[in-house]
Amino acid sequence: MNKETTIYVDDAGNTGSNLTDERRQYFVLSAVKFSEEELDRIKNDIGYDREMHFVKMKKSHEGREAIKKFLQHELIDDKHVYYAFTHKRFCIYAKMVDMLIEPVIHYVLRQDLYTQRRNMVLANCLYVFAENHSDKALVKKFRETFERMMREPQIETAEDFYQVVIQLKEQAASRFSELLEYILMSRQMLDVVLTGDKTYSLDVTISSLLVLTNYWHKKTGTYLNILTDNSKQIEAHENIINGLMSIPNKQEVGYDSRKQLFPLPITKLTMTDSKDCFGIQVADMVASAVAFRWNPTTDRFQRFQDEIKGFPFFDLRCYSVMPSSVAELTESVDSSNDVDPFEYLAANMCSVDNI
C-alpha cells in the first residue's frame, strides 16, 4: 500500500476540557479529502478573495453569501467530507463512566465494561437519570465539580465532587442511586482515577482524530498525510500519536464495530497555519458550519442560522458522540473478534522508543 491520500483537519467549538460551556455545547472535528484540482475549483467557484474563515465571514453580507455558496457546492459531499460530532454534555457522563465507574468494574468486579457496549448503556443511563432529575442546580454542580476535579486533581476538588455525589444519591431513585454508588466506590481508588497529567483528560480532539483517520483509511485504502491547523491538544499528544504510528504489530483492536487499526495509518502529521493552506480552510468551513448550526447563537446571527439550517449539507454522514436510541443500545453485536485495546497498547507501546 504505497499510495498516500492527503486529509485536511480542523475543529470548531473547541473548549478543551471545559465541557460545561453553555455557549458551545457541541464540538466538531472535520476531516476532508480533496485533490489540488478540486480545491482550486472550490476556491474559484466561491470567489471569496480572502482567507475562508467561517467565524469572520458570517459577520458580513459578502461572507454569508460565500458561506451559502460553499455549503451548496457540489463537491461538498459524502465523498469528500466527514466529521466527528460531540454532544459535550453527554460526553461529561460518558467520561464519568470511563474514568470513575470503569476502574471500579475492572479492579473490584474483575469485569470488562466495554464488552457488549455496556459502557455505552451506562453512559446513556447516567445521562438520562441526571438530566431528568428534579434538582437541576444540584445536577449542574455534579457536572461542574466532576470537570473541575479532572482538570485540577487535588484533595479539595475531589472532596467537593464526592460530596455532591452523596447529596445527589440521597435524592435519587433506585437505578440512579446504583450508578452513583459505583461512582462513590471510585473514591477509594483515586490514585488510579486521577493518575497522570489531566490537562486534556476530558478533551475529545485526539479520540475524534483517531476515528476520522480510521474512516478515511478504510474509505481510500491508503495511508494518510494529515494536515491540520495548529492545535494545543494535538501538540500535547504528538509523542503519543507518533508512538501509535510506530507500533510494529499491525492489528485492528477494539470491541464489536468500535475498532481501530494500529499502527495508525498515517505517514505524516503536520500542523500549520490555516492561512497558508486552503484545504484546512475548507475543513474549518465544514466544522464551523456544523457547530454554528447546532450551538446557540445571538440575535445578530439568528436569521442566518435559520436560513442555512435546512441545507442538505447538514444531512451529510458523520460520526456522533451523543445519546443513543434504544434500538442502537439493544442491537446485537458481533464480539467474536474483540481485542482489548488496553492490553494491546500496553504490550506494544513499550517497544516504541519515543514514548
Side-chain angles (χ1 to χ4, degrees), residues 280-292:
I280 295 177
Q281 294 175 36
V282 171
D284 166 79
M285 292 289 285
V286 170
S288 296
V290 175
F292 175 73

Side-chain angles (χ1 to χ4, degrees), residues 129-168:
F129 292 150
E131 291 300 304
N132 287 283
H133 194 275
S134 58
D135 194 335
K136 302 300 182 185
L138 186 58
V139 171
K140 184 173 185 285
K141 196 172 181 182
F142 178 51
R143 295 192 301 265
E144 291 176 343
T145 54
F146 168 72
E147 181 182 282
R148 187 178 174 212
M149 178 181 71
M150 299 311 299
R151 295 172 68 184
E152 304 171 28
Q154 301 167 0
I155 294 175
E156 294 79 11
T157 57
E159 186 63 27
D160 288 344
F161 170 70
Y162 285 104
Q163 284 301 315
V164 173
V165 177
I166 291 171
Q167 294 176 48
L168 197 54

Side-chain angles (χ1 to χ4, degrees), residues 59-158:
K59 297 177 182 179
S60 69
H61 174 75
E62 179 189 6
R64 291 192 293 272
E65 291 301 306
I67 289 172
K68 288 190 285 185
K69 282 185 181 180
F70 174 84
L71 296 179
Q72 298 176 94
H73 196 281
E74 63 180 349
L75 288 178
I76 307 302
D77 58 13
D78 284 323
K79 294 180 180 179
H80 300 88
V81 172
Y82 196 64
Y83 60 89
F85 179 84
T86 301
H87 183 298
K88 293 182 187 177
R89 182 169 294 187
F90 173 74
C91 191
I92 290 175
Y93 297 106
K95 292 287 188 179
M96 287 183 185
V97 170
D98 281 343
M99 296 180 171
L100 303 180
I101 295 179
E102 192 279 334
V104 172
I105 299 296
H106 176 77
Y107 288 104
V108 177
L109 302 182
R110 303 295 179 182
Q111 295 178 13
D112 188 341
L113 184 61
Y114 297 104
T115 59
Q116 298 298 314
R117 301 186 177 180
R118 290 187 298 164
N119 64 311
M120 296 171 61
V121 172
L122 290 189
N124 277 271
C125 289
L126 190 59
Y127 171 83
V128 170
F129 292 150
E131 291 300 304
N132 287 283
H133 194 275
S134 58
D135 194 335
K136 302 300 182 185
L138 186 58
V139 171
K140 184 173 185 285
K141 196 172 181 182
F142 178 51
R143 295 192 301 265
E144 291 176 343
T145 54
F146 168 72
E147 181 182 282
R148 187 178 174 212
M149 178 181 71
M150 299 311 299
R151 295 172 68 184
E152 304 171 28
Q154 301 167 0
I155 294 175
E156 294 79 11
T157 57

Side-chain angles (χ1 to χ4, degrees), residues 182-206:
Y182 281 114
I183 291 177
L184 285 176
M185 291 172 67
S186 70
R187 190 178 189 175
Q188 307 305 316
M189 51 181 69
L190 287 182
D191 56 331
V192 174
V193 172
L194 298 182
T195 188
D197 182 4
K198 295 297 180 183
T199 305
Y200 297 110
S201 61
L202 301 182
D203 183 77
V204 296
T205 302
I206 300 303

Side-chain angles (χ1 to χ4, degrees), residues 11-12 28 30 54-55 67 70-71 76 83 85 282-295 304-305 308-309 311 313-314:
D11 63 55
V28 184
S30 71
F54 187 98
V55 173
I67 289 172
F70 174 84
L71 296 179
I76 307 302
Y83 60 89
F85 179 84
V282 171
D284 166 79
M285 292 289 285
V286 170
S288 296
V290 175
F292 175 73
R293 161 67 177 82
W294 291 105
N295 279 310
F304 182 54
Q305 187 186 65
I308 68 172
K309 65 172 50 175
F311 282 14
F313 166 83
F314 298 104

